[in-house]
Amino acid sequence: MSWMTPEQRDELRDALAGVHPAAPDLVFDALRAHRASRAYQFTQAPVTQRALDALPPVTRQLLNLETEYATLRSTVARLVVANNRGDDYSLSDLAWEIQQTGVDLKSEYADAEGLALAAEQESQL
C-alpha cells in the first residue's frame, strides 16, 4: 500500500475542511450504492461515474488504514500493559513487535532520524 505524502495529506485535509468522517454504516451504504449502480448499468455523468468507480479502492484504503491503526493500537496497548505488570519492554522491543505485524515504519524512522540530526546540528550553531 502506498501512503500519501505529507503535502497530499495537507491538501486533502484542506479540501475536507468542515466534513465529518463517515460512520461505518455510511461507508457500507456508499459501497452498496456503487455496486447497485454498476449492476443496473445506470448511465451517470462522467464525473459522477468516475467518483463512483473510485469508491471501492477508496473503501479498501479506508479498510487498510483502519486495520493498520487497530494493529498499532493493540500492539502498543499490549506492551504497555505488560510493562505495567512488571515486564521490561523497550522502544526497540516495540519497534520489533510492530515490524512483526507487517507495519513498515522505515520511512518514518528515516524522517525522525533526519529531524534528530537537524536538531543536533542546530544546537551546535
Side-chain angles (χ1 to χ4, degrees):
M1 174 170 70
S2 61
W3 296 98
M4 290 181 169
T5 65
E7 295 80 14
Q8 289 171 320
R9 288 192 304 268
D10 289 343
E11 185 178 343
L12 185 57
R13 191 175 295 109
D14 291 344
L16 293 172
V19 176
H20 297 286
D25 288 346
L26 194 56
V27 174
F28 284 105
D29 288 348
L31 192 54
R32 285 185 200 106
H34 170 267
R35 289 194 174 141
S37 76
R38 301 306 271 168
Y40 296 109
Q41 298 298 314
F42 290 133
T43 55
Q44 307 285 338
V47 172
T48 303
Q49 191 58 52
R50 184 166 183 234
L52 286 173
D53 288 343
L55 188 57
V58 168
T59 305
R60 170 54 70 185
Q61 179 76 349
L62 173 64
L63 177 60
N64 291 349
L65 292 171
E66 291 270 351
T67 301
E68 187 165 298
Y69 182 64
T71 298
L72 289 170
R73 289 175 58 93
S74 66
T75 301
V76 169
R78 183 172 46 80
L79 294 183
V80 166
V81 168
N83 273 1
N84 289 343
R85 292 174 162 258
D87 288 337
D88 188 23
Y89 286 104
S90 68
L91 290 176
S92 294
D93 294 324
L94 174 61
W96 185 85
E97 292 278 342
I98 289 172
Q99 181 183 0
Q100 296 309 300
T101 68
V103 175
D104 182 6
L105 296 177
K106 288 181 189 113
S107 175
E108 287 78 4
Y109 293 149
D111 290 346
E113 182 67 27
L115 289 172
L117 288 172
E120 287 173 6
Q121 290 173 354
E122 185 176 304
S123 68
Q124 294 174 359
L125 294 178

